[in-house]
Amino acid sequence: MVDTTVSTTTTSQQSQSLNLLKVLGPAHIWALGVGIVLVGEFMGWNYAAGKGGAFGALIACFVSGILYTCVAKIDSEVTSTVASAGGQYAQAKHTIGPLMAFNVGLFMTLTYLMLNAGDVLVAGQLVQIGAQQLGHDIPWQPFTVLFLALLTLLNYRGVLATLTVNFVITAAAFLSIIILFIGVKPWAPGEVLLHKELLTPLPYGWIGVIAALHFGMWFYLGIEGTCQAAEEVRSPGRALPLGTMSGIITLLIAAAITWYVACGLMPWEYIGWDATLAPLYDSARMTGSPFLIVLLFIGTLLSAIASSNGCTNDQARAWFALGRDRYLPEWFAAVHPKYRTPFRSILFLTPIVLVFALYIPLAQIITFSILSGLLNYTFMPINMWNFRKKWPVGSIRRGFSHPFHPLPALTLLILCAATFFAVYLGYGRQLLAMMAFYIVASLWFAFYRYRYVKRGAQFTMPWPKPVGY
Amino acid sequence: MWDIVANVAWVIAAAIFLWMAWDFFVINAKYDENVLVSSREGLDELLPAGDQSTAKKKK
C-alpha cells in the first residue's frame, strides 16, 4: 500500500493541494484496460453466435476489433496529451464543451458502474456454481458482497496495490486462455477441434451478422478505461499509449483464440444460448481434461474479479473528476490524505453497485453498460476531429500521434452507427429509455448545475489558444 | 461446512465495510474540508513547481 501524507510534498504549491499519486507505469495501464475487458472473452461474446451463427460472431469480432483499435488509437493520442483523471471527460471539456463533458462523464461512470455490478454478480454466482459441482448448494449473495467489499477496500487503500493486483490476476486469466488454446492442439485439426463439422453458413443471413455486432463489443468493451488512470501515471506520454496499444493487441489475440477454440468444440446453437454463461469454461469441459476444467474455472473467476477491480477504480475517477470541476458537488472531489485515493467517490458508488448486483437482472445491467459505452465511443470521433483541428500536430506536445487521421475517426463513427442499429434491433426500448435518461440529465445540468461549475478554471492544460480563436 | 463459509463471507464483508466507514468518518473529522478537496488537475508532483505556472495561474 502506498502511504504518503500531505507533509511529504516538497514545493509550497504542492503542499497546498492534496493530489492523486503518480505511481503507475505501462504495466498497470495494461492491467487496467485488459483487466476490465478480459471477462468478455470468458462470457458475453457468445450471444453474438446466437444472433449470427459462428461466422457471424467471427465477423462481429473483427468489426468490433477495428472499432476498438480506432478507440485505442484516438485515446492514446488525446490522453497522452490531456493526462487527467476522468479520461474522456477531461478531453471533452477541453475540446468540445461543458455539456458534452458532463454527458461523457456520466457515460463513463455508468458504463463502469453497471459493468462492475455485473462482474461481482457473476463472481458470486461462479462460487455458487463451483460449490454445486462439489455437491453443495450455497447462496451466491455473500460471495458477491465479499468480492465487492474486498475490491472496494483495495481501491480505497491505494491505486498502486490495486493495479498491481490487477496485473497479476489479469495475466493469470490471460494465461489460462493460452493454455486452453495449447490444450486443444490447434496444430492437429480434427483431433480435438472440429471446425469442419461445426462451422455452418450464416443461419440468419447478413441481418444476423449486423445484430451480432451488439455482442461482438464484449470482446473489447472497456479498453478505453485506461484513460481514467491518466493522472496517476508517472509518464503519461509514454505509459498511456504503450499500455493502451499493448492492451488492445492482447485483446485481439485473446478474442481470436476464444472464438477459434469455442467454435471448434461446440455448435453455434449451444454457444449462442449458453445457459452457464461461460463458453470458455464449457470449452474446457468439452476437452474432458480435469486440469483444463479447473484452470478455466479459476480463469473465469479471476477475469470477473479483475474486471470489477478495474471498474471500481475507473468509476470513482470519473465521478471524482466531475466533482472537482463542480459538475457534481465538490464534496466528491476529496482525496484521502494518507492513501491519496478519491475515497468519497469510491465509497459513494459502492452501495449503488451493490443494489444493482443484488436486485437487477444481469441482462439489464449489461445492456445499460454497453449502451453507455457506445455513446462514449460515438463522442470520440468528434473529440478527435476537434482536437486535431484546434491544436494541429506540432502546435502542442503530444505523447503519441496516431497515423492516418481522419481515417480512424471516420471508421469509428461509421462502426458506431452500425452498432447502434444492431442494438436497436434487439434492445430498441432500452436504447430509447437510456437516451431519455441522458436528455433529462443534460437538462438538469444545463438549467441548474452549470451555475456551480468552475468555468474558466476547469481548462487546465498549458496550451496555446486553439486555431481560429 | 459450506453454510459456515457463506456466513464467514458475510462477516468479513461487514467488517471491511465497517472499517472503511470508520476511517471515512475519522478522516472527515480530522482534516479540514478545504484540504481534502484541494486536488488540482494539471499539477504534476514529479515536475518542479515552476514548470506548472500555467496550470496554477488558471486557478
Side-chain angles (χ1 to χ4, degrees):
Chain A
M1 302 292 167
V2 176
D3 184 353
T4 309
T5 58
V6 191
S7 60
T8 59
T9 53
T10 51
T11 68
S12 61
Q13 181 186 354
Q14 286 154 7
S15 66
Q16 291 165 10
S17 61
L18 199 60
N19 294 303
L20 302 177
L21 277 181
K22 287 187 172 292
V23 288
L24 304 177
H28 299 106
I29 298 302
W30 178 90
L32 181 59
V34 179
I36 290 175
V37 184
L38 204 61
V39 67
E41 262 68 355
F42 287 88
M43 63 191 75
W45 70 270
N46 48 308
Y47 297 115
K51 297 281 182 183
F55 280 125
L58 181 63
I59 295 167
C61 173
F62 285 162
V63 172
S64 295
I66 295 168
L67 186 155
Y68 279 91
T69 303
C70 295
V71 165
K73 288 168 77 171
I74 290 171
D75 268 344
S76 292
E77 174 167 337
V78 189
T79 312
S80 68
T81 317
V82 189
S84 297
Q88 291 86 355
Y89 154 76
Q91 300 171 17
K93 74 178 181 183
H94 282 90
T95 60
I96 300 180
L99 186 59
M100 185 79 248
F102 173 74
N103 275 285
V104 170
L106 272 193
F107 298 158
M108 288 186 307
T109 305
L110 291 172
T111 301
Y112 300 124
L113 193 145
M114 296 294 163
L115 190 53
N116 194 356
D119 289 331
V120 285
L121 165 61
V122 164
Q125 288 181 341
L126 282 169
V127 174
Q128 184 185 45
I129 290 168
Q132 280 170 349
Q133 293 195 347
L134 294 172
H136 304 279
D137 196 20
I138 55 169
W140 56 269
Q141 290 90 343
F143 301 99
T144 287
V145 178
L146 178 62
F147 284 130
L148 186 62
L150 286 168
L151 297 176
T152 305
L153 179 69
L154 196 57
N155 275 271
Y156 188 92
R157 289 178 63 92
V159 72
L160 182 63
T162 299
L163 294 187
T164 303
V165 168
N166 233 41
F167 179 79
V168 174
I169 55 181
T170 301
F174 180 65
L175 195 62
S176 73
I177 297 177
I178 300 291
I179 293 173
L180 175 66
F181 180 56
I182 295 167
V184 296
K185 302 179 184 172
W187 56 85
E191 193 174 328
V192 182
L193 296 170
L194 304 171
H195 289 105
K196 249 184 192 171
E197 293 80 359
L198 292 171
L199 293 182
T200 59
L202 298 174
Y204 306 116
W206 284 96
I207 194 73
V209 175
I210 292 172
L213 288 178
H214 177 187
F215 297 102
M217 288 176 69
W218 265 103
F219 283 115
Y220 318 96
L221 180 76
I223 185 64
E224 74 283 0
T226 54
C227 301
Q228 294 298 326
E231 198 165 318
E232 292 151 285
V233 169
R234 284 191 299 269
S235 174
R238 173 178 169 270
L240 286 165
L242 195 57
T244 307
M245 299 307 277
S246 59
I248 190 71
I249 291 167
T250 307
L251 292 171
L252 288 166
I253 294 168
I257 291 177
T258 298
W259 179 90
Y260 184 77
V261 171
C263 292
L265 286 167
M266 296 176 286
W268 68 269
E269 295 94 331
Y270 180 80
I271 298 170
W273 306 106
D274 189 343
T276 64
L277 280 174
L280 272 184
Y281 174 58
D282 281 347
S283 300
R285 287 169 64 189
M286 289 297 292
T287 66
S289 159
F291 169 72
L292 287 177
I293 293 170
V294 172
L295 182 74
L296 265 293
F297 178 80
I298 294 169
T300 307
L301 184 59
L302 290 181
S303 72
I305 293 170
S307 182
S308 175
N309 196 24
C311 287
T312 304
N313 180 87
D314 280 5
Q315 71 191 25
R317 267 65 184 174
W319 201 250
F320 162 82
L322 286 166
R324 189 163 58 181
D325 293 326
R326 297 190 194 160
Y327 283 56
L328 293 173
E330 199 177 20
W331 187 82
F332 292 115
V335 172
H336 196 291
K338 186 176 179 186
Y339 305 125
R340 299 292 198 93
T341 53
F343 71 115
R344 284 180 185 162
S345 292
I346 291 171
L347 288 187
F348 175 76
L349 295 172
T350 296
I352 303 173
V353 173
L354 195 57
V355 167
F356 274 93
L358 292 178
Y359 300 110
I360 308 294
L362 182 63
Q364 300 270 355
I365 298 171
I366 294 306
T367 299
F368 203 74
S369 177
I370 288 180
L371 292 175
S372 296
L374 195 53
L375 282 170
N376 190 19
Y377 307 144
T378 311
F379 140 80
M380 286 179 189
I382 307 164
N383 176 40
M384 189 63 229
W385 187 265
N386 271 13
F387 184 56
R388 282 283 181 107
K389 195 176 154 200
K390 291 180 176 174
W391 293 279
V393 174
S395 64
I396 54 174
R397 212 176 74 180
R398 286 164 155 85
F400 171 79
S401 296
H402 78 261
F404 310 123
H405 174 78
L407 197 58
L410 278 174
T411 308
L412 179 55
L413 197 60
I414 292 165
L415 294 182
C416 281
T419 311
F420 267 119
F421 179 65
V423 172
Y424 187 77
L425 289 178
Y427 292 85
R429 264 187 300 182
Q430 284 94 329
L431 180 62
L432 295 176
M434 198 200 56
M435 299 290 265
F437 166 78
Y438 284 117
I439 289 169
V440 170
S442 297
L443 291 172
W444 172 81
F445 177 76
F447 292 107
Y448 173 73
R449 188 67 211 174
Y450 187 57
R451 75 187 71 164
Y452 299 105
V453 170
K454 292 178 179 175
R455 300 187 187 187
Q458 65 179 316
F459 302 108
T460 58
M461 294 300 131
W463 296 343
K465 276 191 178 179
V467 172
Y469 283 77
Chain B
M1 189 268 197
W2 283 90
D3 288 339
I4 295 171
V5 172
N7 288 331
V8 168
W10 281 121
V11 170
I12 295 172
I16 290 170
F17 281 127
L18 281 174
W19 181 85
M20 283 190 288
W22 173 79
D23 186 72
F24 173 83
F25 286 114
V26 166
I27 293 297
N28 284 314
K30 191 174 170 185
Y31 290 86
D32 185 78
E33 184 66 11
N34 290 329
V35 174
L36 293 177
V37 298
S38 62
S39 165
R40 291 291 170 263
E41 187 180 275
L43 289 186
D44 190 337
E45 294 183 358
L46 300 179
L47 292 175
D51 289 357
Q52 301 175 60
S53 55
T54 315
K56 188 185 177 188
K57 277 175 195 166
K58 291 192 174 181
K59 299 295 140 199

